[in-house]
Amino acid sequence: AQVSQTALEQSMLIVLSDLWLDRPSTLKQLEELLSGYEMVGNETVGSARKAQPAATFFTFVLCGNFSSPAKARGTMTRSETAAQFETLAQLLAKFPTLAYNANFVLVPGPDDPSLGAADVLPRAPVPKLFTNAIAKVVRNLHSTSSPARLKFCGQEVVILREELLAQMRRCTVLEPNYEVYPELANHLVETLLCQAHVYPLPVTEAAVYWRVDPAMWLHPAPDVLVVAERSSQFLIPFNGTLAFNPGSFAGESNWMVYRPLERKAEPSSLNEE
């Protein structure tokens, strides 16, 4: 379908990773971030019958892990996990314009609860048992697998939440050529896109459901590749694909905003002065 010029101009993909719901400090940071977007989202776009809140064009991608390392997979009860997502639902309810108009996408992390095996990719979505509380508050909630694929203003976006850089380093046979790329992130992006797969690693690192392996392919290459992990933010264009890591929201208060009209991403942080 053809994308309107208004949608292209107003749309934003807001990507956060490491949203540790058991940390009060993370929830406070998230509330501060959402309050800013709530204010902007209340602005009216268009006129007369076509008028609508700017928040209609916002898509928030919330990536795991949704618990801190201290509450890693296997150490929390079902009721404790449900309570964490209930806390997120209560927080989102404070921002009615976003909750009613914006899209929210949940992408599970390596240590989040899943309907499938924890160490097999693609990782299944967070169970509805935990997301139902959010669905009662957020009108447009999408709980996805990891990797996830979005069609955003006609552009293909692939999102993976994995500690991929560390795993790639463990499997390195030859040291990267630092004269070509001084930063490891550049080598990571080139490897993924040249291998045309989001997880070009042996099964000793993580098994793959072979019947759905095509969901892991990067052929044809997407417009945007989000490699969400705990390492430092990066923003790397490569052969027509814009790859970025939003960084750790819980650890560094970082996130990334992608604007489809300019096909550019903006590193953001609550620590900016």
Side-chain angles (χ1 to χ4, degrees):
Q2 188 175 2
V3 180
S4 70
Q5 187 64 25
T6 300
L8 276 174
E9 291 174 353
Q10 301 295 328
S11 291
M12 290 192 292
L13 188 71
I14 302 145
V15 187
L16 296 78
S17 183
D18 274 353
L19 195 62
W20 296 346
L21 302 177
D22 59 309
R23 291 279 184 88
S25 58
T26 302
L27 294 172
K28 184 178 179 181
Q29 292 168 4
L30 181 61
E31 185 171 5
E32 183 178 348
L33 179 146
L34 292 175
S35 64
Y37 285 110
E38 174 82 358
M39 184 170 58
V40 176
N42 272 317
E43 297 177 1
T44 301
V45 175
S47 57
R49 292 183 178 180
K50 294 185 177 181
Q52 52 191 323
T56 305
F57 303 100
F58 297 172
T59 298
F60 292 87
V61 179
L62 309 181
C63 302
N65 293 322
F66 293 109
S67 300
S68 65
K71 296 283 188 178
R73 182 181 65 222
T75 64
M76 294 181 61
T77 64
R78 181 182 299 179
S79 60
E80 287 175 328
T81 303
Q84 286 188 179
F85 284 95
E86 177 68 38
T87 300
L88 177 58
Q90 293 171 2
L91 178 57
L92 294 173
K94 295 180 180 180
F95 306 99
T97 301
L98 296 179
Y100 187 79
N101 297 285
N103 284 278
F104 286 82
V105 181
L106 300 180
V107 181
D111 296 328
D112 288 323
S114 171
L115 290 174
D119 297 322
V120 183
L121 295 173
R123 188 166 288 108
V126 176
K128 288 185 178 180
L129 168 68
F130 304 126
T131 61
N132 278 339
I134 303 173
K136 293 176 182 178
V137 174
V138 174
R139 191 170 66 133
N140 303 305
L141 178 68
H142 314 275
S143 186
T144 72
S145 61
S146 178
R149 290 180 181 269
L150 308 181
K151 204 72 172 181
F152 186 64
C153 292
Q155 299 175 22
E156 186 83 12
V157 181
V158 176
I159 304 165
L160 175 70
R161 173 62 184 95
E162 195 72 32
E163 296 302 331
L164 199 54
L165 194 57
Q167 294 176 37
M168 295 284 280
R169 288 289 287 158
R170 282 199 300 268
C171 297
T172 298
V173 176
L174 299 175
E175 275 296 304
N177 187 341
Y178 292 105
E179 293 182 2
V180 177
Y181 297 127
E183 299 294 332
L184 281 173
N186 294 79
H187 294 276
L188 171 64
V189 170
E190 181 178 17
T191 299
L192 297 180
L193 291 171
C194 288
Q195 293 289 326
H197 201 282
V198 297
Y199 202 81
L201 291 171
V203 293
T204 52
E205 290 295 321
V208 174
Y209 292 113
W210 295 118
R211 292 183 63 183
V212 290
D213 184 62
M216 313 278 284
W217 295 355
L218 296 175
H219 178 74
D223 297 288
V224 180
L225 174 61
V226 180
V227 185
E229 58 171 64
R230 208 162 296 160
S231 61
S232 300
Q233 281 183 319
F234 62 74
L235 178 60
I236 301 169
F238 184 83
N239 286 356
T241 295
L242 183 63
F244 65 79
N245 172 24
S248 175
F249 185 74
E252 304 293 335
S253 304
N254 293 338
W255 74 97
M256 199 77 76
V257 179
Y258 175 72
R259 298 180 184 273
L261 179 63
E262 298 92 354
R263 292 180 178 259
K264 293 181 179 179
E266 306 165 0
S268 302
S269 176
L270 291 176
N271 295 327
E272 292 176 353
E273 296 181 356

